[in-house]
Amino acid sequence: MTVTPAPLDEPAGPHILFVEDDAVIRDTVRIALQRYGFTVSTAADGLTGLELFRSARPDLLLLDLMLPELDGIGLCRRIREFSLAPILMVTARGDDLDVICGLEAGADDYVVKPCESAVLVARIRSLLRRASFASPLGEPARGEPVRDESPADIRPVLTFGDLTIDTSGMEVRRAGELVALTPTELRLLLAFAESPGVVLERRTLLRKVWDHAWDGDTRVVDLHVKRLRAKIDAERIETVRGFGYKLRR
């Protein structure tokens, strides 16, 4: 982790919980994030991280996957049982299986260490923008102010079979039952709902949903589509081999 200079006089910003067992990395990242205006709490193991998350309710969880007591995958799963807060995981270079397992467990995105603090902060801010975009239950998320980014030409309520999307209240229901989507899953569904029946390439979805203008990892898209399908109906989003995905009309 390389610390990049940033303003020190910014007001306290969103609360980040960083769970990392390496004391040097933990302190280095904490100092770097504080220099960018974030409020940072830390934990050295998964169980302590879980307790802190329950009590402090941070705006975002940043966690390493290799943790004592309760590893990052297990921590991610436990938190997803009661919270939809953004989760950004930190992985070692080349640990592809960890990336897949972490995303399937409920993480929203990942960074590979070592990384520049500016890159880490960009990913955190991207996730916080997604969370502040709207809560899946229609309530503003904590952190940055809520911004209305929904397309102007989308109707307030969209219907696709037994699936309804309230784009003003940010609620998704399936057969009348409320579907709990993370902010990332909600933005992914809205991206499809903008253009039903139109094939969206993975790189297009990376730009629209994850704010990744660079040549990002399309597995992030695939695994979130998989999670979204499990919640709204596996047949609702169709795979177009060699191209991407589309929402059935």
Side-chain angles (χ1 to χ4, degrees), residues 31-151:
I31 292 169
L33 294 181
Q34 287 173 338
R35 290 180 64 86
Y36 278 88
F38 294 104
T39 300
V40 184
S41 298
T42 62
D45 64 80
L47 288 180
T48 302
L50 181 61
E51 293 173 4
L52 274 175
F53 191 96
R54 287 183 183 277
S55 60
R57 296 287 176 161
D59 297 293
L60 181 142
L61 173 65
L62 175 66
L63 79 158
D64 188 30
L65 293 186
M66 302 300 292
L67 297 170
E69 304 297 337
L70 177 66
D71 67 15
I73 303 296
L75 177 58
C76 198
R77 289 198 180 103
R78 294 281 292 275
I79 286 175
R80 279 292 175 250
E81 292 174 0
F82 63 89
S83 175
L84 300 176
I87 298 177
L88 178 62
M89 59 182 180
V90 181
T91 70
R93 191 176 304 278
D95 286 349
D96 291 346
L97 182 59
D98 284 346
V99 170
I100 293 171
C101 290
L103 292 171
E104 288 185 335
D108 293 279
D109 203 354
Y110 76 96
V111 292
V112 177
K113 60 182 178 183
C115 71
E116 293 285 340
S117 60
V119 173
L120 178 61
V121 168
R123 292 297 186 85
I124 288 174
R125 286 176 174 166
S126 175
L127 283 176
L128 290 173
R129 281 195 298 273
R130 247 174 280 164
S132 65
F133 167 64
S135 162
L137 300 181
E139 300 175 353
R142 293 185 301 154
E144 298 180 3
V146 173
R147 286 181 256 177
D148 182 9
E149 300 179 17
S150 52

Side-chain angles (χ1 to χ4, degrees), residues 188 192 197-207 218-219 221-222 225 229 237-247:
L188 182 60
F192 284 120
V198 176
V199 178
L200 298 178
E201 295 182 347
R202 291 171 175 83
R203 309 234 176 258
T204 299
L205 291 169
L206 271 176
R207 291 193 300 271
T218 57
R219 289 175 303 178
V221 175
D222 295 335
V225 167
R229 279 172 165 162
I237 299 176
E238 179 183 348
T239 300
V240 181
R241 295 190 180 279
F243 293 94
Y245 301 98
K246 67 177 180 180
L247 182 70

